[in-house]
Each structure stands twice: as C-alpha cells, then as structure tokens.
Amino acid sequence: MRQNSVRKEGARQRAPHASDHGWDSTRHGGDDGPDASSGSGGEPPEGNGRHRRGTGGAERPPRRKRRVLRWSATILSVLILGTAGAGYLYYQHLNGNIETDDLNLGEHRAPEPTPNAAGQTPINILLIGSDARDSKANQKLGGAKETFGSPPLADVQMLLHLSADRTNMSVISMPRDTLLQIPKCTDPDDGKVYAQSGPRTMTNESLGRGGPGCTVATWEKLTNIHINHFMMVDFAGVVAMADAIGGVPVCVDRNIHSRDSQGHGSGLKLKKGTTEVQGKQALQWLRTRYGFEGGTDISRAKAQHMYMNALVRKLRENTGLSNPNQLRKLAEKATAALKVDDGLDTIKKLYDLSAELKKVSPARTTMTTMPFDYAGARVVPKPGDAEQLFRLVRDDVPLDGKGRKKPAAEKPSDDPAAADGEIAVQVQNGTRSTVEPPVSGRAGTVAQLLTGKGFTKATPDTTTALAEERTVVRYPSKELEGDAQRIAKSLGLPLSSAKKSTDVSGVTLIVGADWREGDAPPKPKKKDDRTPDSADALSGSDKKACMKVDPNFTW
C-alpha cells in the first residue's frame, strides 16, 4: 500500500558543517555513505495504486512510501514518454503507476504570467529530489542506514522554465543549504499546520513540512515565479531507466574514484575521457560530490547539468531506443517512478508536456545555478544577481542571450486613478536584506512623505518587516491598478513597479532595500537582460563539457 514518505512530522535539525554543500546520503558530510557502492540496482516496490486528494466519501488508499531522487530521472521520464508512443498501448495501466500530490501547500500563489501577443504563456516545472531512506531497495542504493525512515529533505531542487513561444528552455538549480524563509504550509492529509519559518532556514527542510507542495510554495515566495507543476522520481527508478536507454555519455578530465579513506563518496570510478554511464553508475555520477573539483554541491550541480544536457541530446536522436519492447520497458519504469501534481496525472498530460519540451533544441537550453554568497557553512541568494536571474525567468527572457526583444512601452492602466486624497495606501517596511537589518521607522517616514504629496489616506504598517529588494506597489485586483500606478508615478517609479498580487488586500507600497534613506527612491537603472556571470550558465549544445577531477581522488 502506498504511503507518502513526506508525512513524517517535523524536519530534522542538522548541525552546520564547513563541507556541507552537497547532497550527502549520510546527511552529515559523507557524500554517499561507506556502503553506497555495494548495491546493484533495485526495482521500485510493486503496486499501481493512485493517491488522490479530495472530499469524496470513500477512504483514499495511503500513499506508498517512495524514495525520490532528482531532476535527471524526472526529465528522462517526461522526454521518454514523448519518445515512446508505444506507451499508449498500456494507457490505463501506466496511468495507474503515477502517484500524485498537491501542487502548493502555502497560502499565496505567485501571479500568473501575462500571455504574449500570440496568447502563449511559459511553463514552469519544479523538479525535486529527496534524500529520504524509506525502502530497502532505495536505501541499498543510497546508504545511510541510520537515517532509515526519517523525514525527507529536498536536497535537489531545479526549476525548469519553458518559454512562452517554446523556442528556449532554462533551468535554475538551488543549492540545498540555501538559507531563506519557508512560508506557512498546511498538510491537507492530516491538517497539520507548519508555521512560517525564520528567515535563515535551510530550503531543503521544506519537503518535510507537508510535502512537495511546501517546496513549491517556498520557491514561489522566494522568486515570485508562478510554478505550474512539480515532479519527483525515486532512486530505483533512475537506475532502471538509465539501463533502459543504454547509457548517457559523461566526461572527466582525469581518472576518478569517488571514495576517501573514511569511506565517503559515491564509489564512482571512471577513466579519463568520455564514458557511457547507466544503471548504478549513472546514479553514482548524479550523486558524486567527493572527487569533483571543489567537492561541493555546486560541483555536483554542474555534473548534473552535463548529464542532463547529454541525456536530452541522446533522447532527441533516439539513440539506444531502437525497438518497441525497449520503449515499453522504459515507459513502465518511468511512470512507476514518478510523483507529480494533479495537472500531470495521466499519460496524455505527460505526453502533451513532453511534446512541448521537445520543441526546444539543445542549443537553446541553458543550465544555471542560483547566484549565491556564503553565509558561514551555508549559502544565501546573492544580492542583485539572484533576483536578476529570477526576473529574467519571470519576464520570459532567454538566458542564452538570443532572441531578446526590446522592452515594450509601459502602458497606463485602462482603469483611471481616483483623486490623490481618495487613494488608500498602506506603507510597509521591506528594507531588510540578506546582509542588512530593516531600517527602523521607514514605513512611517515614507507614509508621511506621501501625505505631504496629497495622499492623505497613506498609513504605515508598523507591524511588518519584509525583505524586498526593490520598492514596489502591489494591488490585489484590476480596479485598483490605476491607483497603484498613480502612487508609483508620484514617487518617480516606473509604471511596471505596480504589480498585481494576492498577497495584499489593497494598494500597498513596500519600501525596498533600494530605498533605505532619502525622500525619493533611486532612479531605476536601464534594464539589463544579461544572465549574471555568477549563474555559471552551461549551454545544452556543449558537447565538450568535462568535469574537473580533484587530484586527491584520481587513480
């Protein structure tokens, strides 16, 4: 019977560790555990029950405990379903393999993007991987016996953005130990409420606070990017699917053996040059931290990016997928390994999504890592650069620099603004940043400034201290758009700084970290649509990419 591994209460606390910047299956600095290389694959537990949330009278079957891995197998699953038309022969059976969970467990959603001139909108998919140890087959692949059955952590998180016009695709990886604020989440199964966390909570704890929907809510709170779907896959699934396609080419610049004297490491052992990895060896590549130059989660993410790019190229060429039996086997393994939101709960929905993804060539696929700064043994989003990357995705700007269009002229609202003295506006203090505390009394100061400009209904909210990088005017509905734009214009802000949001109940001016002092916000700089260098972008067409090996892990 199916049970969801994310339903364990609470999130286990972890002591900081200077080397703790990768997915460690031991959860305490060991990459994969001393016995990580002893397994020889493994199949997911049998069963094809479906989990669905709802209000019907029938008792829902409990979800099977399932161990989820990472983006690589997730993307594999989607693209395979687009390649394997034979999967339709087993339509109902394959549908029964797919597990579902709720998309967003938070109280608010990021606004949906505005359609382009052709009426198209982007698709954003959050790819989540957990380090849970909840089945014998998966634990054999992952090691860390002392953590068997403990709450999972979302140790791999990648946001896949498919552009509105389907010409390009971007991926943002977030380091698992990023410190941020996890929003309030409610578990719909048992009603347990997880209060909003402190501002310096590791992002990977979100999964244990009600399920993958809380991880989605955390991303939306941080990035203000509307997420359409999430996907998760287990360890055994990635091994089986890698076998089914006959391997993925990866490269190292010297011989590598990921194993130290204490037994830490994935066990990956490869010769210099390019090797087709599959099965357990493919899993080792995706999990390796010890052995790649730097030895951090950042190095591991780079290796994952290379694997994903090579995987997509191979699938597009249909290499290794030469007969119907092979395709059916792959479709079977892919669907059995998947956990998705209700919007992707059938083969047809997955097939349709895969058809959209396949429209993008590898040359227009860009892999990035969220820009970050170190905060002790952890990391925080890099001021300026991280928001720049998020904005490019929100604005559907291609990260490869191709096909960028001139920004459209700002359009005043069709709804006229009320008289200045009739516009009720609340002022909030959003001057706190990752490196500076909020400026005391800032909301009151700016509210007085607005009153002096004739906005006599401006009032400060002295109970709220937010973190907003740039000053913004938010409004909840179309009929208040004109009022919000009028406030923005009176302060010399661009009309685009007036943004619709369900987080507010009326026109709300949030004084950002860019306006910590003075009587006017700084003039906005000319919009820069370049991808930050700190995002470490990698093109999907780069066939020469090769991982650098730490000399201490060569042979």
Side-chain angles (χ1 to χ4, degrees), residues 113-116 120-124 161-166 226 228 393-396:
T114 303
N116 62 15
Q120 301 167 302
T121 54
I123 299 176
N124 295 306
H161 171 84
L162 179 62
S163 68
D165 62 7
R166 308 302 189 252
H226 184 84
N228 305 93
V393 171
R394 284 197 303 269
D395 293 349
D396 200 24

PDB file of all heavy atoms in Angstrom, residues 113-116 120-124 161-166 226 228 393-396:
ATOM      1  N   PRO A 113       1.874  34.541 -15.278  1.00  0.00           N
ATOM      2  CA  PRO A 113       2.463  35.459 -16.254  1.00  0.00           C
ATOM      3  C   PRO A 113       1.444  35.951 -17.265  1.00  0.00           C
ATOM      4  O   PRO A 113       0.454  35.268 -17.555  1.00  0.00           O
ATOM      5  CB  PRO A 113       3.548  34.602 -16.927  1.00  0.00           C
ATOM      6  CG  PRO A 113       3.077  33.192 -16.747  1.00  0.00           C
ATOM      7  CD  PRO A 113       2.380  33.165 -15.422  1.00  0.00           C
ATOM      8  N   THR A 114       1.680  37.141 -17.792  1.00  0.00           N
ATOM      9  CA  THR A 114       0.809  37.695 -18.828  1.00  0.00           C
ATOM     10  C   THR A 114       1.089  36.995 -20.153  1.00  0.00           C
ATOM     11  O   THR A 114       2.250  36.852 -20.537  1.00  0.00           O
ATOM     12  CB  THR A 114       1.061  39.207 -18.982  1.00  0.00           C
ATOM     13  OG1 THR A 114       0.842  39.836 -17.714  1.00  0.00           O
ATOM     14  CG2 THR A 114       0.138  39.807 -20.027  1.00  0.00           C
ATOM     15  N   PRO A 115       0.061  36.555 -20.861  1.00  0.00           N
ATOM     16  CA  PRO A 115       0.287  35.889 -22.160  1.00  0.00           C
ATOM     17  C   PRO A 115       0.979  36.830 -23.149  1.00  0.00           C
ATOM     18  O   PRO A 115       0.817  38.050 -23.090  1.00  0.00           O
ATOM     19  CB  PRO A 115      -1.129  35.539 -22.627  1.00  0.00           C
ATOM     20  CG  PRO A 115      -1.959  35.505 -21.378  1.00  0.00           C
ATOM     21  CD  PRO A 115      -1.367  36.545 -20.481  1.00  0.00           C
ATOM     22  N   ASN A 116       1.761  36.241 -24.063  1.00  0.00           N
ATOM     23  CA  ASN A 116       2.399  37.054 -25.091  1.00  0.00           C
ATOM     24  C   ASN A 116       1.379  37.409 -26.173  1.00  0.00           C
ATOM     25  O   ASN A 116       0.187  37.100 -26.055  1.00  0.00           O
ATOM     26  CB  ASN A 116       3.614  36.337 -25.686  1.00  0.00           C
ATOM     27  CG  ASN A 116       3.248  35.034 -26.386  1.00  0.00           C
ATOM     28  OD1 ASN A 116       2.089  34.759 -26.681  1.00  0.00           O
ATOM     29  ND2 ASN A 116       4.252  34.209 -26.660  1.00  0.00           N
ATOM     30  N   GLN A 120       0.280  32.892 -25.741  1.00  0.00           N
ATOM     31  CA  GLN A 120       1.029  31.797 -25.120  1.00  0.00           C
ATOM     32  C   GLN A 120       1.584  32.233 -23.759  1.00  0.00           C
ATOM     33  O   GLN A 120       1.890  33.411 -23.541  1.00  0.00           O
ATOM     34  CB  GLN A 120       2.197  31.389 -26.021  1.00  0.00           C
ATOM     35  CG  GLN A 120       1.804  30.935 -27.414  1.00  0.00           C
ATOM     36  CD  GLN A 120       3.012  30.862 -28.326  1.00  0.00           C
ATOM     37  OE1 GLN A 120       3.715  31.851 -28.535  1.00  0.00           O
ATOM     38  NE2 GLN A 120       3.259  29.677 -28.880  1.00  0.00           N
ATOM     39  N   THR A 121       1.730  31.288 -22.876  1.00  0.00           N
ATOM     40  CA  THR A 121       2.346  31.550 -21.573  1.00  0.00           C
ATOM     41  C   THR A 121       3.446  30.523 -21.314  1.00  0.00           C
ATOM     42  O   THR A 121       3.402  29.404 -21.840  1.00  0.00           O
ATOM     43  CB  THR A 121       1.315  31.475 -20.431  1.00  0.00           C
ATOM     44  OG1 THR A 121       0.643  30.210 -20.492  1.00  0.00           O
ATOM     45  CG2 THR A 121       0.299  32.590 -20.532  1.00  0.00           C
ATOM     46  N   PRO A 122       4.448  30.872 -20.491  1.00  0.00           N
ATOM     47  CA  PRO A 122       5.515  29.919 -20.165  1.00  0.00           C
ATOM     48  C   PRO A 122       4.986  28.772 -19.309  1.00  0.00           C
ATOM     49  O   PRO A 122       3.882  28.841 -18.756  1.00  0.00           O
ATOM     50  CB  PRO A 122       6.523  30.770 -19.372  1.00  0.00           C
ATOM     51  CG  PRO A 122       6.127  32.195 -19.604  1.00  0.00           C
ATOM     52  CD  PRO A 122       4.665  32.184 -19.862  1.00  0.00           C
ATOM     53  N   ILE A 123       5.779  27.717 -19.208  1.00  0.00           N
ATOM     54  CA  ILE A 123       5.507  26.608 -18.292  1.00  0.00           C
ATOM     55  C   ILE A 123       6.691  26.492 -17.348  1.00  0.00           C
ATOM     56  O   ILE A 123       7.840  26.413 -17.787  1.00  0.00           O
ATOM     57  CB  ILE A 123       5.320  25.276 -19.052  1.00  0.00           C
ATOM     58  CG1 ILE A 123       4.129  25.361 -20.009  1.00  0.00           C
ATOM     59  CG2 ILE A 123       5.107  24.129 -18.062  1.00  0.00           C
ATOM     60  CD1 ILE A 123       3.944  24.120 -20.868  1.00  0.00           C
ATOM     61  N   ASN A 124       6.419  26.483 -16.058  1.00  0.00           N
ATOM     62  CA  ASN A 124       7.460  26.345 -15.037  1.00  0.00           C
ATOM     63  C   ASN A 124       7.223  25.072 -14.244  1.00  0.00           C
ATOM     64  O   ASN A 124       6.135  24.864 -13.703  1.00  0.00           O
ATOM     65  CB  ASN A 124       7.458  27.550 -14.100  1.00  0.00           C
ATOM     66  CG  ASN A 124       7.831  28.841 -14.815  1.00  0.00           C
ATOM     67  OD1 ASN A 124       8.870  28.911 -15.458  1.00  0.00           O
ATOM     68  ND2 ASN A 124       6.973  29.848 -14.724  1.00  0.00           N
ATOM     69  N   HIS A 161      12.142  26.142 -16.812  1.00  0.00           N
ATOM     70  CA  HIS A 161      11.292  27.168 -17.431  1.00  0.00           C
ATOM     71  C   HIS A 161      11.272  26.962 -18.939  1.00  0.00           C
ATOM     72  O   HIS A 161      12.313  27.022 -19.602  1.00  0.00           O
ATOM     73  CB  HIS A 161      11.841  28.558 -17.107  1.00  0.00           C
ATOM     74  CG  HIS A 161      11.181  29.666 -17.870  1.00  0.00           C
ATOM     75  ND1 HIS A 161       9.993  30.239 -17.464  1.00  0.00           N
ATOM     76  CD2 HIS A 161      11.537  30.320 -19.014  1.00  0.00           C
ATOM     77  CE1 HIS A 161       9.652  31.192 -18.323  1.00  0.00           C
ATOM     78  NE2 HIS A 161      10.565  31.258 -19.267  1.00  0.00           N
ATOM     79  N   LEU A 162      10.082  26.698 -19.480  1.00  0.00           N
ATOM     80  CA  LEU A 162       9.888  26.580 -20.921  1.00  0.00           C
ATOM     81  C   LEU A 162       9.250  27.877 -21.413  1.00  0.00           C
ATOM     82  O   LEU A 162       8.190  28.274 -20.927  1.00  0.00           O
ATOM     83  CB  LEU A 162       8.981  25.391 -21.244  1.00  0.00           C
ATOM     84  CG  LEU A 162       8.659  25.138 -22.715  1.00  0.00           C
ATOM     85  CD1 LEU A 162       9.916  24.831 -23.506  1.00  0.00           C
ATOM     86  CD2 LEU A 162       7.636  24.013 -22.848  1.00  0.00           C
ATOM     87  N   SER A 163       9.901  28.566 -22.338  1.00  0.00           N
ATOM     88  CA  SER A 163       9.449  29.885 -22.766  1.00  0.00           C
ATOM     89  C   SER A 163       8.059  29.837 -23.392  1.00  0.00           C
ATOM     90  O   SER A 163       7.624  28.796 -23.904  1.00  0.00           O
ATOM     91  CB  SER A 163      10.438  30.490 -23.762  1.00  0.00           C
ATOM     92  OG  SER A 163      10.433  29.764 -24.980  1.00  0.00           O
ATOM     93  N   ALA A 164       7.378  30.970 -23.367  1.00  0.00           N
ATOM     94  CA  ALA A 164       6.014  31.045 -23.904  1.00  0.00           C
ATOM     95  C   ALA A 164       5.965  30.660 -25.377  1.00  0.00           C
ATOM     96  O   ALA A 164       5.039  29.957 -25.816  1.00  0.00           O
ATOM     97  CB  ALA A 164       5.455  32.449 -23.701  1.00  0.00           C
ATOM     98  N   ASP A 165       6.967  31.078 -26.151  1.00  0.00           N
ATOM     99  CA  ASP A 165       6.956  30.761 -27.584  1.00  0.00           C
ATOM    100  C   ASP A 165       7.621  29.429 -27.903  1.00  0.00           C
ATOM    101  O   ASP A 165       7.759  29.054 -29.073  1.00  0.00           O
ATOM    102  CB  ASP A 165       7.615  31.881 -28.386  1.00  0.00           C
ATOM    103  CG  ASP A 165       9.092  32.092 -28.022  1.00  0.00           C
ATOM    104  OD1 ASP A 165       9.645  31.285 -27.247  1.00  0.00           O
ATOM    105  OD2 ASP A 165       9.667  33.082 -28.506  1.00  0.00           O
ATOM    106  N   ARG A 166       8.044  28.693 -26.865  1.00  0.00           N
ATOM    107  CA  ARG A 166       8.634  27.357 -26.985  1.00  0.00           C
ATOM    108  C   ARG A 166       9.936  27.335 -27.788  1.00  0.00           C
ATOM    109  O   ARG A 166      10.301  26.307 -28.348  1.00  0.00           O
ATOM    110  CB  ARG A 166       7.639  26.368 -27.599  1.00  0.00           C
ATOM    111  CG  ARG A 166       6.276  26.332 -26.914  1.00  0.00           C
ATOM    112  CD  ARG A 166       6.371  25.985 -25.434  1.00  0.00           C
ATOM    113  NE  ARG A 166       5.076  25.760 -24.848  1.00  0.00           N
ATOM    114  CZ  ARG A 166       4.476  26.581 -23.998  1.00  0.00           C
ATOM    115  NH1 ARG A 166       5.087  27.715 -23.624  1.00  0.00           N
ATOM    116  NH2 ARG A 166       3.303  26.294 -23.489  1.00  0.00           N
ATOM    117  N   HIS A 226       5.535  31.984 -10.940  1.00  0.00           N
ATOM    118  CA  HIS A 226       4.387  31.087 -10.856  1.00  0.00           C
ATOM    119  C   HIS A 226       4.795  29.699 -11.347  1.00  0.00           C
ATOM    120  O   HIS A 226       5.264  29.537 -12.475  1.00  0.00           O
ATOM    121  CB  HIS A 226       3.240  31.621 -11.713  1.00  0.00           C
ATOM    122  CG  HIS A 226       1.984  30.809 -11.616  1.00  0.00           C
ATOM    123  ND1 HIS A 226       1.062  30.988 -10.611  1.00  0.00           N
ATOM    124  CD2 HIS A 226       1.498  29.798 -12.395  1.00  0.00           C
ATOM    125  CE1 HIS A 226       0.066  30.137 -10.769  1.00  0.00           C
ATOM    126  NE2 HIS A 226       0.316  29.398 -11.849  1.00  0.00           N
ATOM    127  N   ASN A 228       3.832  25.900 -12.392  1.00  0.00           N
ATOM    128  CA  ASN A 228       2.683  25.158 -12.925  1.00  0.00           C
ATOM    129  C   ASN A 228       2.632  23.715 -12.464  1.00  0.00           C
ATOM    130  O   ASN A 228       1.543  23.158 -12.289  1.00  0.00           O
ATOM    131  CB  ASN A 228       2.712  25.180 -14.458  1.00  0.00           C
ATOM    132  CG  ASN A 228       2.780  26.582 -15.022  1.00  0.00           C
ATOM    133  OD1 ASN A 228       3.869  27.082 -15.287  1.00  0.00           O
ATOM    134  ND2 ASN A 228       1.638  27.229 -15.196  1.00  0.00           N
ATOM    135  N   VAL A 393      13.610  35.013 -15.694  1.00  0.00           N
ATOM    136  CA  VAL A 393      12.656  33.912 -15.859  1.00  0.00           C
ATOM    137  C   VAL A 393      11.226  34.440 -15.772  1.00  0.00           C
ATOM    138  O   VAL A 393      10.360  34.071 -16.581  1.00  0.00           O
ATOM    139  CB  VAL A 393      12.914  32.810 -14.813  1.00  0.00           C
ATOM    140  CG1 VAL A 393      11.794  31.773 -14.831  1.00  0.00           C
ATOM    141  CG2 VAL A 393      14.252  32.130 -15.080  1.00  0.00           C
ATOM    142  N   ARG A 394      10.953  35.306 -14.803  1.00  0.00           N
ATOM    143  CA  ARG A 394       9.606  35.878 -14.689  1.00  0.00           C
ATOM    144  C   ARG A 394       9.199  36.607 -15.971  1.00  0.00           C
ATOM    145  O   ARG A 394       8.062  36.523 -16.426  1.00  0.00           O
ATOM    146  CB  ARG A 394       9.519  36.860 -13.519  1.00  0.00           C
ATOM    147  CG  ARG A 394       9.455  36.244 -12.151  1.00  0.00           C
ATOM    148  CD  ARG A 394       8.964  37.248 -11.128  1.00  0.00           C
ATOM    149  NE  ARG A 394       9.771  38.449 -11.080  1.00  0.00           N
ATOM    150  CZ  ARG A 394      10.828  38.630 -10.284  1.00  0.00           C
ATOM    151  NH1 ARG A 394      11.202  37.652  -9.474  1.00  0.00           N
ATOM    152  NH2 ARG A 394      11.499  39.765 -10.290  1.00  0.00           N
ATOM    153  N   ASP A 395      10.160  37.345 -16.539  1.00  0.00           N
ATOM    154  CA  ASP A 395       9.876  38.129 -17.741  1.00  0.00           C
ATOM    155  C   ASP A 395      10.030  37.316 -19.018  1.00  0.00           C
ATOM    156  O   ASP A 395       9.906  37.851 -20.116  1.00  0.00           O
ATOM    157  CB  ASP A 395      10.801  39.354 -17.805  1.00  0.00           C
ATOM    158  CG  ASP A 395      10.503  40.359 -16.703  1.00  0.00           C
ATOM    159  OD1 ASP A 395       9.462  40.211 -16.019  1.00  0.00           O
ATOM    160  OD2 ASP A 395      11.308  41.298 -16.515  1.00  0.00           O
ATOM    161  N   ASP A 396      10.321  36.029 -18.871  1.00  0.00           N
ATOM    162  CA  ASP A 396      10.459  35.124 -20.024  1.00  0.00           C
ATOM    163  C   ASP A 396      11.564  35.577 -20.970  1.00  0.00           C
ATOM    164  O   ASP A 396      11.440  35.496 -22.195  1.00  0.00           O
ATOM    165  CB  ASP A 396       9.127  35.019 -20.768  1.00  0.00           C
ATOM    166  CG  ASP A 396       9.039  33.773 -21.653  1.00  0.00           C
ATOM    167  OD1 ASP A 396       9.750  32.800 -21.357  1.00  0.00           O
ATOM    168  OD2 ASP A 396       8.271  33.803 -22.629  1.00  0.00           O
TER     169      ASP A 396
END
